[in-house]
Amino acid sequence: MSQLALPLQLADHAVFASFFATGNETLVATLNDMASGQASRHDGDGCWMWGPAASGKTHLLQAVCEMAGDRSSYVPLATLAPAGPEILEGLATRELICIDDIETVAGQPGWEAALFGLCNQAHDAGADLIISATAAPRESSFRLEDLKSRFAKLPVFQVHALDDDERVSALQLRSEHRGLELPDETAQYLLKRSRRDMASLYDLLDRLDREALRAKRRLTIPFVRSVLEGGENGARNPV
């Protein structure tokens, strides 16, 4: 990823190939077309995607930037908001502007004015705004009516939350992408013994990946149990 004075690094797993798209096929196809440059360019290009925390919005935004490279910028407002709205300056020179957690700055006049300016600059430059939020534009907390009107013109996608079977498939896809085999029974074991949101499950999978590599073990239930119960020391001596 290339940034305008935003020294951020994309997560290595955040690519389209590792995102379980079931229930979000249209959104993923739309973002893929934008990132690859295949989407038709017209006024109002871009989109607004919304859903609960840990539903995959950040993954998708970063996947767009990973594919688009220097044509894009990733702006995680939950992290960068304290730096002030000046960080938005110059972003309209990119074809794709991916703004994450936009609700973080809703209701703040300086930020709302800067976002409205960015919308106008992006429109004039033919750039796409791809925005993630926890609510649809009309249900957001923005107060500047002109800004809300701009956001309301974007195509809106609700991010589908995964059921348990889909969580298993998503974990197995992420494991496959990392070169791991995650058997069905092990994935079900993880669901029963950890927090069920995908962010927590992926964090646990990352930990298991590190421990499996260190111990040279497969992701069997006994090995996973040893990691969960005994931490890293237990992982070195699995039961």
Side-chain angles (χ1 to χ4, degrees), residues 207-208 211-212 214-215 217 221-239:
R207 177 185 171 197
L208 291 171
E211 295 299 332
R214 177 182 298 166
R217 295 292 300 261
I221 288 178
F223 173 75
V224 170
R225 183 189 302 120
S226 73
V227 174
L228 296 180
E229 294 179 353
E232 295 185 359
N233 291 331
R236 295 189 184 98
N237 299 285
V239 295

Side-chain angles (χ1 to χ4, degrees), residues 9-195:
Q9 184 174 358
L10 300 177
D12 59 1
H13 63 261
V15 295
F16 284 116
S18 66
F19 185 82
F20 186 72
T22 297
N24 296 300
E25 293 90 347
T26 301
L27 169 59
V28 172
T30 298
L31 295 176
N32 201 308
D33 285 348
M34 289 185 196
S36 63
Q38 297 180 19
S40 61
R41 305 192 63 77
H42 53 80
D43 290 348
D45 274 354
C47 69
W48 178 293
M49 58 176 167
W50 67 276
S55 58
K57 304 185 298 296
T58 294
H59 185 139
L60 288 172
L61 288 181
Q62 293 196 8
V64 168
C65 291
E66 187 277 336
M67 178 177 284
D70 286 345
R71 296 168 44 237
S72 66
S73 283
Y74 173 63
V75 187
L77 289 183
T79 300
L80 297 179
E86 293 78 14
I87 65 171
L88 302 181
E89 294 177 2
L91 290 179
T93 60
R94 300 298 171 90
E95 294 179 24
L96 300 166
I97 306 161
C98 297
I99 302 179
D100 206 357
D101 300 311
I102 199 168
E103 70 279 352
T104 304
V105 299
Q108 300 181 38
W111 272 102
E112 294 200 8
L115 284 168
F116 181 60
L118 178 61
C119 288
N120 291 332
Q121 294 161 16
H123 175 83
D124 293 343
D128 293 339
L129 284 172
I130 306 176
I131 295 171
S132 88
T134 54
R138 297 187 184 280
E139 299 172 355
S140 67
S141 301
F142 288 96
R143 299 173 184 172
L144 184 61
E145 290 299 326
D146 288 340
L147 179 61
K148 293 176 68 173
S149 177
R150 284 286 193 184
F151 287 157
K153 293 178 181 179
L154 293 172
V156 177
F157 297 88
Q158 181 176 3
V159 181
H160 165 75
L162 303 181
D163 62 26
D164 280 355
D165 289 340
E166 291 166 343
R167 286 187 177 95
V168 167
S169 296
L171 282 171
Q172 290 175 324
L173 177 62
R174 180 71 66 89
S175 298
E176 180 181 351
H177 185 74
R178 300 184 73 110
L180 292 170
E181 179 185 356
L182 182 65
D184 289 346
E185 60 272 16
T186 305
Q188 294 287 354
Y189 182 87
L190 290 178
L191 284 185
K192 294 176 181 177
R193 288 163 176 80
S194 70
R195 294 177 57 182

